[in-house]
Amino acid sequence: MQPPELLTTGALPPAAERAKTERRALLMEKAQQLEAAFLAEMLTYVGVKPSEGSFSGGQGEEQYTSFLRDAQAKAIVDHGGIGLAENLFKSLVKHDTASN
């Protein structure tokens, strides 16, 4: 899902429009990565905890739990997230001097 700000206006030459669109796509990607990192950190406190007892995964479980949290956070962002990426994107576009 592309935000309206990512769409071009047709007011610039085609090469400049393409560069602006590519720049905004990059900014959206970075905003989504930041939202995923934020969500992964939040899931550290409320999400998957290592198992205890005889069926625990031991050191392997402890080492790979972070990968599960990262994948869950990315899945949340890929399915709409919590709105953080959109707000970050709007702020990045507003303050981006390279595409203005």
Side-chain angles (χ1 to χ4, degrees):
M1 177 166 82
Q2 289 184 339
E5 296 86 6
L6 197 56
L7 302 175
T8 60
T9 61
L12 298 173
E17 279 289 340
R18 188 172 48 254
K20 186 175 183 177
T21 301
E22 289 172 359
R23 176 72 178 173
R24 289 189 172 191
L26 177 66
L27 291 175
M28 177 53 95
E29 179 184 336
K30 296 301 178 185
Q32 289 173 334
Q33 288 174 357
L34 186 58
E35 181 177 16
F38 172 78
L39 288 171
E41 187 65 26
M42 296 303 293
L43 289 172
T44 300
Y45 297 101
V46 298
V48 177
K49 303 285 186 208
S51 301
E52 295 180 9
S54 58
F55 291 106
S56 73
Q59 287 182 335
E61 183 177 12
E62 291 175 22
Q63 292 172 348
Y64 291 105
T65 300
S66 66
F67 292 119
L68 177 60
R69 278 194 304 268
D70 291 344
Q72 289 172 330
K74 186 175 181 329
I76 292 169
V77 171
D78 289 346
H79 288 88
I82 58 172
L84 183 60
E86 288 81 12
N87 287 323
L88 289 169
F89 173 75
K90 289 176 185 176
S91 181
L92 288 170
V93 168
K94 182 178 177 181
H95 294 93
D96 184 28
T97 58
S99 66
N100 292 336

